[in-house]
Structure formats: C-alpha cells, structure tokens
Amino acid sequence: MMEGSADIPGHVTLAQAVTALAESSGGTSYAPMIDRGTLQVGLYAPRGGDPQKPHDQDEVYVVMSGRGDFRNGSQSHAFQPGDVLFVPAGVEHAFENFSDDLYVWVVFYGPPGGEATG
C-alpha cells in the first residue's frame, strides 16, 4: 500500500471530516477531504433536503450514519449505516426521507462521463 504524499492525507477519520464540514464557510453540506487526480473523497451531510444534481463522474456513497430512501435514476431503495450506493455519471439521484443524522462518504472518480462499461 502506498503512503499518502505530504499534501494528500492517507488517513481521514469521520470525526475529522465532521469537524471540517462544521468549520466550512457558507454552511455547505459537503467537505472534500482527499483530492488526487480524478479521485475526490468527501463527507456529505444534507440537512432538510438533498439539492444535488447529476455529476460528471461516477460516484460511490458509503453510509456512515442515518437512514432514509435513495432515489437512483428510476429506482429507489431504503438505506442504513453500512450500505454502499453507486451512481453512474449523469444519473439523477437524491437522498429522500432521511434522518437528521445522515453522514455519507462520497467518492467521485474516473473521467467525465464515467468509467467505460463492459
């Protein structure tokens, strides 16, 4: 396993990300924590509603806390802590009916338009 470079953390805790989110200006619901090449890892914690739009990259969510429903294109499923959710680039998606303690790691990766399938 490679160690992180001096400017890219090789280890980030949920507590560190929650603190970064709380300290971010503008009351944002996303705090980027790792940024390298096409990879970005951050903590997402929407409150009240989920205003996000489709993204240019594929993304993976890892639910750390909270429960609710996740709309992913034409599908919707319940989620809970420990679940992993995948969204291909360009697909409409949103967290819905979620609890106030929702925290998810979000991983954006790959080229614009998403990874090739097949």
mmCIF file of all heavy atoms in Angstrom, residues 31-60:
data_model
loop_
_atom_site.group_PDB
_atom_site.id
_atom_site.type_symbol
_atom_site.label_atom_id
_atom_site.label_comp_id
_atom_site.label_asym_id
_atom_site.label_seq_id
_atom_site.Cartn_x
_atom_site.Cartn_y
_atom_site.Cartn_z
ATOM 1 N N ALA A 31 -17.820 18.390 2.446
ATOM 2 C CA ALA A 31 -16.445 18.762 2.788
ATOM 3 C C ALA A 31 -15.490 17.813 2.073
ATOM 4 O O ALA A 31 -15.431 16.629 2.419
ATOM 5 C CB ALA A 31 -16.220 18.694 4.293
ATOM 6 N N PRO A 32 -14.764 18.301 1.053
ATOM 7 C CA PRO A 32 -13.779 17.441 0.390
ATOM 8 C C PRO A 32 -12.614 17.172 1.333
ATOM 9 O O PRO A 32 -12.140 18.080 2.018
ATOM 10 C CB PRO A 32 -13.340 18.256 -0.824
ATOM 11 C CG PRO A 32 -13.662 19.662 -0.481
ATOM 12 C CD PRO A 32 -14.810 19.638 0.478
ATOM 13 N N MET A 33 -12.149 15.917 1.369
ATOM 14 C CA MET A 33 -11.086 15.536 2.299
ATOM 15 C C MET A 33 -9.840 15.003 1.588
ATOM 16 O O MET A 33 -8.739 15.181 2.066
ATOM 17 C CB MET A 33 -11.607 14.495 3.289
ATOM 18 C CG MET A 33 -12.788 14.960 4.134
ATOM 19 S SD MET A 33 -12.498 16.473 5.074
ATOM 20 C CE MET A 33 -11.272 15.933 6.235
ATOM 21 N N ILE A 34 -10.027 14.330 0.463
ATOM 22 C CA ILE A 34 -8.914 13.785 -0.322
ATOM 23 C C ILE A 34 -9.166 14.158 -1.774
ATOM 24 O O ILE A 34 -10.265 13.950 -2.285
ATOM 25 C CB ILE A 34 -8.804 12.254 -0.176
ATOM 26 C CG1 ILE A 34 -8.529 11.867 1.282
ATOM 27 C CG2 ILE A 34 -7.737 11.694 -1.113
ATOM 28 C CD1 ILE A 34 -8.591 10.370 1.547
ATOM 29 N N ASP A 35 -8.141 14.689 -2.425
ATOM 30 C CA ASP A 35 -8.274 15.108 -3.820
ATOM 31 C C ASP A 35 -6.987 14.726 -4.547
ATOM 32 O O ASP A 35 -5.922 15.270 -4.254
ATOM 33 C CB ASP A 35 -8.500 16.621 -3.875
ATOM 34 C CG ASP A 35 -9.111 17.077 -5.178
ATOM 35 O OD1 ASP A 35 -9.110 16.310 -6.152
ATOM 36 O OD2 ASP A 35 -9.597 18.220 -5.212
ATOM 37 N N ARG A 36 -7.090 13.759 -5.454
ATOM 38 C CA ARG A 36 -5.906 13.299 -6.183
ATOM 39 C C ARG A 36 -6.330 12.811 -7.560
ATOM 40 O O ARG A 36 -7.105 11.871 -7.687
ATOM 41 C CB ARG A 36 -5.219 12.178 -5.422
ATOM 42 C CG ARG A 36 -3.977 11.654 -6.107
ATOM 43 C CD ARG A 36 -3.319 10.568 -5.269
ATOM 44 N NE ARG A 36 -2.261 9.908 -5.984
ATOM 45 C CZ ARG A 36 -0.969 10.188 -5.840
ATOM 46 N NH1 ARG A 36 -0.589 11.122 -5.003
ATOM 47 N NH2 ARG A 36 -0.063 9.521 -6.522
ATOM 48 N N GLY A 37 -5.808 13.450 -8.599
ATOM 49 C CA GLY A 37 -6.175 13.056 -9.961
ATOM 50 C C GLY A 37 -7.678 13.150 -10.154
ATOM 51 O O GLY A 37 -8.287 14.165 -9.841
ATOM 52 N N THR A 38 -8.283 12.064 -10.628
ATOM 53 C CA THR A 38 -9.733 12.064 -10.831
ATOM 54 C C THR A 38 -10.493 11.676 -9.569
ATOM 55 O O THR A 38 -11.718 11.665 -9.567
ATOM 56 C CB THR A 38 -10.146 11.083 -11.952
ATOM 57 O OG1 THR A 38 -9.901 9.737 -11.523
ATOM 58 C CG2 THR A 38 -9.420 11.383 -13.245
ATOM 59 N N LEU A 39 -9.767 11.358 -8.498
ATOM 60 C CA LEU A 39 -10.393 10.897 -7.256
ATOM 61 C C LEU A 39 -10.634 12.053 -6.294
ATOM 62 O O LEU A 39 -9.734 12.855 -6.038
ATOM 63 C CB LEU A 39 -9.491 9.874 -6.562
ATOM 64 C CG LEU A 39 -9.933 9.410 -5.168
ATOM 65 C CD1 LEU A 39 -11.145 8.491 -5.281
ATOM 66 C CD2 LEU A 39 -8.790 8.716 -4.457
ATOM 67 N N GLN A 40 -11.859 12.136 -5.785
ATOM 68 C CA GLN A 40 -12.142 13.041 -4.681
ATOM 69 C C GLN A 40 -13.012 12.292 -3.684
ATOM 70 O O GLN A 40 -13.991 11.648 -4.063
ATOM 71 C CB GLN A 40 -12.863 14.311 -5.128
ATOM 72 C CG GLN A 40 -13.012 15.295 -3.968
ATOM 73 C CD GLN A 40 -13.620 16.614 -4.387
ATOM 74 O OE1 GLN A 40 -14.831 16.712 -4.487
ATOM 75 N NE2 GLN A 40 -12.777 17.593 -4.636
ATOM 76 N N VAL A 41 -12.611 12.359 -2.402
ATOM 77 C CA VAL A 41 -13.369 11.744 -1.325
ATOM 78 C C VAL A 41 -13.774 12.848 -0.367
ATOM 79 O O VAL A 41 -12.946 13.676 0.020
ATOM 80 C CB VAL A 41 -12.518 10.689 -0.564
ATOM 81 C CG1 VAL A 41 -13.330 10.085 0.578
ATOM 82 C CG2 VAL A 41 -12.018 9.621 -1.513
ATOM 83 N N GLY A 42 -15.037 12.874 -0.012
ATOM 84 C CA GLY A 42 -15.513 13.887 0.916
ATOM 85 C C GLY A 42 -16.655 13.365 1.760
ATOM 86 O O GLY A 42 -17.150 12.254 1.562
ATOM 87 N N LEU A 43 -17.057 14.186 2.705
ATOM 88 C CA LEU A 43 -18.188 13.861 3.564
ATOM 89 C C LEU A 43 -19.379 14.693 3.127
ATOM 90 O O LEU A 43 -19.262 15.910 2.958
ATOM 91 C CB LEU A 43 -17.853 14.144 5.030
ATOM 92 C CG LEU A 43 -18.925 13.690 6.020
ATOM 93 C CD1 LEU A 43 -19.019 12.160 6.052
ATOM 94 C CD2 LEU A 43 -18.637 14.227 7.411
ATOM 95 N N TYR A 44 -20.518 14.028 2.925
ATOM 96 C CA TYR A 44 -21.743 14.704 2.513
ATOM 97 C C TYR A 44 -22.776 14.524 3.607
ATOM 98 O O TYR A 44 -22.983 13.413 4.107
ATOM 99 C CB TYR A 44 -22.251 14.108 1.202
ATOM 100 C CG TYR A 44 -23.435 14.823 0.610
ATOM 101 C CD1 TYR A 44 -23.410 16.195 0.369
ATOM 102 C CD2 TYR A 44 -24.585 14.134 0.267
ATOM 103 C CE1 TYR A 44 -24.495 16.844 -0.191
ATOM 104 C CE2 TYR A 44 -25.676 14.773 -0.298
ATOM 105 C CZ TYR A 44 -25.627 16.124 -0.522
ATOM 106 O OH TYR A 44 -26.701 16.776 -1.082
ATOM 107 N N ALA A 45 -23.405 15.638 4.013
ATOM 108 C CA ALA A 45 -24.395 15.609 5.090
ATOM 109 C C ALA A 45 -25.500 16.616 4.799
ATOM 110 O O ALA A 45 -25.531 17.700 5.376
ATOM 111 C CB ALA A 45 -23.729 15.911 6.428
ATOM 112 N N PRO A 46 -26.406 16.266 3.875
ATOM 113 C CA PRO A 46 -27.501 17.198 3.589
ATOM 114 C C PRO A 46 -28.424 17.320 4.799
ATOM 115 O O PRO A 46 -28.558 16.390 5.585
ATOM 116 C CB PRO A 46 -28.212 16.545 2.408
ATOM 117 C CG PRO A 46 -27.924 15.087 2.553
ATOM 118 C CD PRO A 46 -26.553 15.010 3.156
ATOM 119 N N ARG A 47 -29.026 18.473 4.946
ATOM 120 C CA ARG A 47 -29.967 18.696 6.039
ATOM 121 C C ARG A 47 -31.246 19.289 5.465
ATOM 122 O O ARG A 47 -31.203 20.272 4.733
ATOM 123 C CB ARG A 47 -29.373 19.634 7.104
ATOM 124 C CG ARG A 47 -28.140 19.065 7.810
ATOM 125 C CD ARG A 47 -28.521 17.816 8.611
ATOM 126 N NE ARG A 47 -27.397 17.240 9.328
ATOM 127 C CZ ARG A 47 -26.790 16.107 8.970
ATOM 128 N NH1 ARG A 47 -27.156 15.463 7.868
ATOM 129 N NH2 ARG A 47 -25.815 15.620 9.688
ATOM 130 N N GLY A 48 -32.377 18.657 5.756
ATOM 131 C CA GLY A 48 -33.671 19.152 5.304
ATOM 132 C C GLY A 48 -34.060 18.650 3.929
ATOM 133 O O GLY A 48 -35.184 18.279 3.700
ATOM 134 N N GLY A 49 -33.151 18.650 2.992
ATOM 135 C CA GLY A 49 -33.398 18.182 1.639
ATOM 136 C C GLY A 49 -32.073 17.958 0.943
ATOM 137 O O GLY A 49 -31.022 18.367 1.425
ATOM 138 N N ASP A 50 -32.132 17.309 -0.198
ATOM 139 C CA ASP A 50 -30.915 16.997 -0.951
ATOM 140 C C ASP A 50 -30.988 17.702 -2.303
ATOM 141 O O ASP A 50 -31.665 17.233 -3.212
ATOM 142 C CB ASP A 50 -30.787 15.490 -1.129
ATOM 143 C CG ASP A 50 -29.510 15.073 -1.819
ATOM 144 O OD1 ASP A 50 -28.670 15.944 -2.120
ATOM 145 O OD2 ASP A 50 -29.353 13.873 -2.077
ATOM 146 N N PRO A 51 -30.276 18.830 -2.459
ATOM 147 C CA PRO A 51 -30.389 19.638 -3.669
ATOM 148 C C PRO A 51 -29.467 19.226 -4.817
ATOM 149 O O PRO A 51 -29.440 19.893 -5.847
ATOM 150 C CB PRO A 51 -29.982 21.028 -3.167
ATOM 151 C CG PRO A 51 -28.943 20.734 -2.134
ATOM 152 C CD PRO A 51 -29.440 19.475 -1.452
ATOM 153 N N GLN A 52 -28.733 18.135 -4.676
ATOM 154 C CA GLN A 52 -27.714 17.839 -5.682
ATOM 155 C C GLN A 52 -28.283 17.517 -7.057
ATOM 156 O O GLN A 52 -29.420 17.078 -7.194
ATOM 157 C CB GLN A 52 -26.783 16.742 -5.200
ATOM 158 C CG GLN A 52 -27.426 15.392 -5.000
ATOM 159 C CD GLN A 52 -26.407 14.396 -4.501
ATOM 160 O OE1 GLN A 52 -25.281 14.360 -4.971
ATOM 161 N NE2 GLN A 52 -26.803 13.588 -3.535
ATOM 162 N N LYS A 53 -27.453 17.754 -8.040
ATOM 163 C CA LYS A 53 -27.753 17.489 -9.452
ATOM 164 C C LYS A 53 -26.850 16.353 -9.918
ATOM 165 O O LYS A 53 -25.869 16.017 -9.256
ATOM 166 C CB LYS A 53 -27.475 18.743 -10.293
ATOM 167 C CG LYS A 53 -28.208 19.980 -9.826
ATOM 168 C CD LYS A 53 -29.650 19.911 -10.200
ATOM 169 C CE LYS A 53 -30.338 21.230 -9.854
ATOM 170 N NZ LYS A 53 -31.666 21.055 -9.362
ATOM 171 N N PRO A 54 -27.115 15.766 -11.086
ATOM 172 C CA PRO A 54 -26.232 14.718 -11.602
ATOM 173 C C PRO A 54 -24.798 15.228 -11.717
ATOM 174 O O PRO A 54 -24.564 16.401 -12.012
ATOM 175 C CB PRO A 54 -26.803 14.407 -12.983
ATOM 176 C CG PRO A 54 -28.232 14.802 -12.901
ATOM 177 C CD PRO A 54 -28.256 15.993 -11.983
ATOM 178 N N HIS A 55 -23.850 14.330 -11.487
ATOM 179 C CA HIS A 55 -22.436 14.677 -11.545
ATOM 180 C C HIS A 55 -21.794 14.136 -12.814
ATOM 181 O O HIS A 55 -22.295 13.189 -13.419
ATOM 182 C CB HIS A 55 -21.724 14.112 -10.308
ATOM 183 C CG HIS A 55 -22.298 14.630 -9.030
ATOM 184 N ND1 HIS A 55 -23.140 13.894 -8.239
ATOM 185 C CD2 HIS A 55 -22.158 15.821 -8.427
ATOM 186 C CE1 HIS A 55 -23.499 14.617 -7.191
ATOM 187 N NE2 HIS A 55 -22.910 15.796 -7.275
ATOM 188 N N ASP A 56 -20.670 14.716 -13.193
ATOM 189 C CA ASP A 56 -19.946 14.308 -14.399
ATOM 190 C C ASP A 56 -19.181 13.006 -14.218
ATOM 191 O O ASP A 56 -18.781 12.389 -15.194
ATOM 192 C CB ASP A 56 -18.940 15.389 -14.808
ATOM 193 C CG ASP A 56 -19.610 16.650 -15.308
ATOM 194 O OD1 ASP A 56 -20.785 16.586 -15.730
ATOM 195 O OD2 ASP A 56 -18.963 17.708 -15.283
ATOM 196 N N GLN A 57 -18.928 12.616 -12.961
ATOM 197 C CA GLN A 57 -18.150 11.409 -12.686
ATOM 198 C C GLN A 57 -19.027 10.352 -12.025
ATOM 199 O O GLN A 57 -20.065 10.662 -11.447
ATOM 200 C CB GLN A 57 -17.005 11.727 -11.718
ATOM 201 C CG GLN A 57 -15.913 12.589 -12.290
ATOM 202 C CD GLN A 57 -14.892 12.905 -11.216
ATOM 203 O OE1 GLN A 57 -15.161 13.694 -10.324
ATOM 204 N NE2 GLN A 57 -13.727 12.267 -11.300
ATOM 205 N N ASP A 58 -18.572 9.100 -12.102
ATOM 206 C CA ASP A 58 -19.198 8.040 -11.319
ATOM 207 C C ASP A 58 -18.978 8.364 -9.847
ATOM 208 O O ASP A 58 -18.012 9.054 -9.490
ATOM 209 C CB ASP A 58 -18.550 6.687 -11.618
ATOM 210 C CG ASP A 58 -18.871 6.158 -13.010
ATOM 211 O OD1 ASP A 58 -19.903 6.555 -13.594
ATOM 212 O OD2 ASP A 58 -18.087 5.333 -13.514
ATOM 213 N N GLU A 59 -19.870 7.867 -9.001
ATOM 214 C CA GLU A 59 -19.702 8.116 -7.567
ATOM 215 C C GLU A 59 -20.209 6.944 -6.742
ATOM 216 O O GLU A 59 -21.095 6.206 -7.155
ATOM 217 C CB GLU A 59 -20.369 9.410 -7.137
ATOM 218 C CG GLU A 59 -21.849 9.474 -7.376
ATOM 219 C CD GLU A 59 -22.419 10.854 -7.096
ATOM 220 O OE1 GLU A 59 -22.300 11.348 -5.960
ATOM 221 O OE2 GLU A 59 -22.992 11.423 -8.026
ATOM 222 N N VAL A 60 -19.592 6.817 -5.578
ATOM 223 C CA VAL A 60 -19.957 5.799 -4.610
ATOM 224 C C VAL A 60 -20.222 6.508 -3.288
ATOM 225 O O VAL A 60 -19.456 7.390 -2.889
ATOM 226 C CB VAL A 60 -18.811 4.776 -4.429
ATOM 227 C CG1 VAL A 60 -19.106 3.819 -3.282
ATOM 228 C CG2 VAL A 60 -18.564 4.009 -5.720
#
